[in-house]
Amino acid sequence: MEHKMFCFQCEQTAGCAGCTGQTGVCGKRSDIATLQDELTGALIGLARASRGKQPTDSAHRAMLEGLFTTVTNVNFNEETIRKQLENVIEETSALIGSSAGHEANPALRYNMQELWNAQEDIRSLKSLILFGLRGMAAYAYHARMLGYTDDAVNAFFYEGLSAVGEDWGMEKLLPVVLKVGEVNLRCMALLDKANTETYGAPVPTTVPLRVEKGPFIVISGHDLKDLKLLLEQTDGMGINIYTNGEMLPSHAYPKLKAYPHLKGNFGTAWHNQQKEFADIPAPILFTTNCLMPPKASYADRVFTTEVVSYPGITHIGEEKDFTPVIRKALELGGYSEDREFTGINGGKAVTTGFAHDAVLAVADTVIDAVKTGALKHIFLVGGCDGARSGRSYYTEFVKQTPADTAVLTLACGKYRFNDLDLGTIGGLPRIMDMGQCSDAYSAIQVAAALAEAFGCGINDLPLTLVLSWYEQKAVCILLTLLHLGMKNIYLGPTLPAFVSPGVLDFLVKNYHIHPTTTPEADLAQMLNS
């Protein structure tokens, strides 16, 4: 059977319009895309079945895992997606009191072609809801793994997905779009609480990019619990652990950095993995999204866990026994001598850990610097990285920021510039890494505290947000910023293909969203506005 793909949820979608061939830009095959659509339709059916009922905890887990599975660069495996689909149908059956699942009530089924073929503004708003929910599900999933849940967050997944399946106009869909942002703020706060109460509040930490001789493991993704388990299982074995991608901020958590064999960071952002992993003498463990189809040169050294899955790749199940990864590390042996690596700009170390507690601890210094004119502007330059050439914008932008300004950053977009040495301002480094993409919550907390200190609104602060987007977690963060009423956000390197001209016009008029142009022109506009 020939499957026809339509997918435009990521920034690199073909022609900035949508992947429609047999393989998407991310490497996802058309049959997998179709199966993920079927899973999404089933999740909408689960949401419909929940009306007037109380979903169980297992239904909540099926909802989160199902949505997370469909995030870009997470799951390419037909077998595991089908298991997710079967699980969702079982949970739906339990809710409606039938053993026949969706077949027991055809009205529950939702055909995703109805969404993809809808009028463009309706399709756009529903896509914002759906993609935002997918991103938020990742955050809720990570919190759940640490034992933290929120009833209001869980309930909104059903509410939001139900709206996607409704025949509603713009006036009813717009409030749901903004509510995704509202609930995602609550979800990011939940994950922040889960991480900090479990591992301690992050502290500024300098992380070397050097890899020491001997066996080592590279761990990528976002899940701090997986890292903690790996550190425990390798403790005292002579195996060093190196983070990659969005796992870099883990070095700042006191209970993680206490392990002496958590040594440093290897590599840069996710899209460089096929080059960076090609010949390293060590295994790589993927804990969340950011997986690209592994090349034959290193496929036998790739391991996955949680909802991440790829055909033919060894998967570590719920028992979390990382013995296969450890065995591979010992077998490969690592480098025979210490190896020096650098960031994109030649730096030999990067600094992380400037989350809200760390920044607010020196809030008086920041406030005084603003009042005296020593600090004239703060830029938040963060978001997802990707492979498009236009992303050099962010490197050049940061390089060109004046010496009397500071740059906050988060997520993997920081790898474009986080190894730069821009000096200090008021005793603080001019580049301050706040953490993972979910740590946009930290940036919001800092902005709110500064606004309170100056007795003004957030939009009156000398603060500009310059965001890069790639996948669905960036979508839910953007919706949170819109919910908070933040305006004059610069968004790039391209505008989302799923944002129709009509919806874009609404965002520009109401929130002054700016597509990025050139670093020179944008900086001039920001500093003179």
Side-chain angles (χ1 to χ4, degrees):
M1 178 180 177
E2 183 176 345
H3 299 272
K4 184 178 180 182
M5 174 190 294
F6 178 75
C7 184
F8 63 170
Q9 70 175 5
C10 86
E11 186 265 334
Q12 290 180 183
T13 195
C16 294
C19 293
T20 57
Q22 289 302 303
T23 305
V25 173
C26 70
K28 178 172 60 180
R29 300 193 317 268
S30 59
D31 59 330
I32 298 300
T34 300
L35 190 56
Q36 289 187 354
D37 274 357
E38 188 177 348
L39 174 57
T40 302
L43 289 167
I44 293 173
L46 176 60
R48 287 169 163 172
S50 73
R51 292 169 180 166
K53 300 176 181 177
Q54 183 61 49
T56 62
D57 184 68
S58 62
H60 293 331
R61 177 160 186 164
M63 176 66 75
L64 296 184
E65 290 183 346
L67 284 168
F68 197 177
T69 291
T70 60
V71 170
T72 303
N73 292 95
V74 171
N75 197 311
F76 300 79
N77 194 333
E78 178 180 355
E79 180 181 354
T80 56
I81 298 173
R82 288 199 181 279
K83 286 181 180 178
Q84 292 277 7
L85 178 59
E86 291 169 4
N87 192 27
V88 172
I89 291 175
E90 287 178 6
E91 293 297 340
T92 305
S93 300
L95 274 177
I96 64 176
S98 167
S99 61
H102 287 224
E103 297 304 322
N105 188 343
L108 294 178
R109 294 195 299 263
Y110 185 76
N111 184 343
M112 292 297 289
Q113 292 302 313
E114 294 182 30
L115 172 54
W116 308 142
N117 295 326
Q119 188 272 338
E120 65 175 2
D121 289 338
I122 300 302
R123 181 178 73 169
S124 183
L125 292 175
K126 287 188 174 183
S127 294
L128 280 166
I129 296 169
L130 174 61
F131 301 158
L133 288 173
R134 286 176 174 174
M136 187 170 77
Y139 296 150
Y141 181 90
H142 294 316
R144 181 186 174 91
M145 292 301 100
L146 294 175
Y148 289 72
T149 60
D150 183 298
D151 289 342
V153 172
N154 285 334
F156 184 68
F157 286 110
Y158 300 85
E159 178 186 338
L161 281 181
S162 291
V164 173
E166 294 289 350
D167 185 20
W168 287 353
M170 290 185 68
E171 70 286 346
K172 292 189 72 173
L173 289 170
L174 273 170
V176 183
V177 170
L178 293 178
K179 190 169 181 181
V180 174
E182 177 186 358
V183 179
N184 183 58
L185 177 61
R186 184 171 182 139
C187 188
M188 288 194 296
L190 177 71
L191 180 54
D192 178 82
K193 180 180 180 182
N195 285 338
T196 56
E197 290 188 352
T198 304
Y199 304 116
V203 294
T205 302
T206 298
V207 183
L209 304 182
R210 179 183 66 258
V211 175
E212 297 181 13
K213 67 179 181 179
F216 68 98
I217 296 170
V218 175
I219 181 169
S220 190
H222 305 72
D223 201 293
L224 301 184
K225 183 177 181 180
D226 284 330
L227 172 60
K228 179 66 158 56
L229 292 172
L230 182 64
L231 288 168
E232 290 175 350
Q233 293 180 36
T234 53
D235 196 14
M237 296 188 68
I239 299 174
N240 291 329
I241 307 300
Y242 293 86
T243 55
N244 172 262
E246 282 272 65
M247 198 63 83
L248 166 64
S250 63
H251 290 271
Y253 288 88
K255 291 186 180 179
L256 296 176
K257 66 183 300 181
Y259 287 87
H261 61 301
L262 178 60
K263 289 289 187 177
N265 191 72
F266 175 84
T268 52
W270 65 271
H271 62 93
N272 293 319
Q273 66 190 252
Q274 292 179 332
K275 175 179 64 177
E276 293 175 343
F277 295 160
D279 58 3
I280 64 170
I284 307 102
L285 174 64
F286 284 90
T287 65
T288 53
N289 61 314
C290 305
L291 174 68
M292 295 178 72
K295 291 191 173 183
S297 61
Y298 66 92
D300 66 324
R301 291 180 274 120
V302 172
F303 297 82
T304 60
T305 191
E306 300 296 349
V307 297
V308 189
S309 187
Y310 194 87
I313 297 299
T314 301
H315 186 78
I316 307 299
E318 290 188 10
E319 74 285 355
K320 294 297 180 182
D321 180 358
F322 292 118
T323 299
V325 190
I326 295 169
R327 187 182 300 123
K328 179 64 72 171
L330 293 172
E331 171 194 325
L332 293 169
Y335 294 113
S336 58
E337 299 293 338
D338 291 358
R339 290 285 295 268
E340 295 290 341
F341 293 92
T342 65
I344 289 177
N345 302 286
K348 294 183 178 181
V350 293
T351 302
T352 189
F354 288 92
H356 54 86
D357 281 1
V359 176
L360 293 179
V362 293
D364 289 345
T365 300
V366 176
I367 292 168
D368 288 343
V370 173
K371 287 181 176 179
T372 61
L375 175 59
K376 288 191 167 56
H377 209 89
I378 301 172
F379 301 97
L380 173 63
V381 186
C384 309
D385 199 10
R388 288 192 193 275
S389 59
R391 289 183 178 271
S392 59
Y393 168 96
Y394 298 94
T395 310
E396 294 307 314
F397 182 94
V398 171
K399 285 181 177 179
Q400 293 178 35
T401 54
D404 56 3
T405 65
V407 177
L408 302 178
T409 189
L410 49 86
C412 66
K414 62 176 167 271
Y415 281 103
R416 293 277 172 174
F417 52 80
N418 67 338
D419 65 320
L420 290 170
D421 182 2
L422 298 186
T424 61
I425 186 167
L428 298 170
R430 284 192 54 225
I431 298 179
M432 289 177 275
D433 175 15
M434 308 193 85
Q436 296 182 345
C437 53
S438 60
D439 292 310
Y441 178 74
S442 280
I444 290 168
Q445 295 301 104
V446 169
L450 291 177
E452 182 178 357
F454 286 108
C456 66
I458 288 180
N459 290 312
D460 299 316
L461 290 170
L463 169 69
T464 304
L465 278 60
V466 187
L467 305 181
S468 58
W469 82 281
Y470 173 74
E471 46 93 326
Q472 295 76 65
K473 283 176 278 185
V475 176
C476 63
I477 290 171
L478 176 62
L479 296 181
T480 293
L481 298 174
L482 298 184
H483 155 70
L484 292 170
M486 300 191 78
K487 297 182 178 181
N488 292 308
I489 297 170
Y490 287 72
L491 182 64
T494 64
L495 291 174
F498 52 82
V499 173
S500 66
V503 171
L504 177 61
D505 183 63
F506 172 83
L507 294 176
V508 170
K509 286 181 178 177
N510 289 274
Y511 297 97
H512 304 158
I513 295 279
H514 300 273
T516 54
T517 59
T518 67
E520 296 81 3
D522 291 347
L523 264 171
Q525 185 175 30
M526 295 170 196
L527 294 172
N528 294 322
S529 61

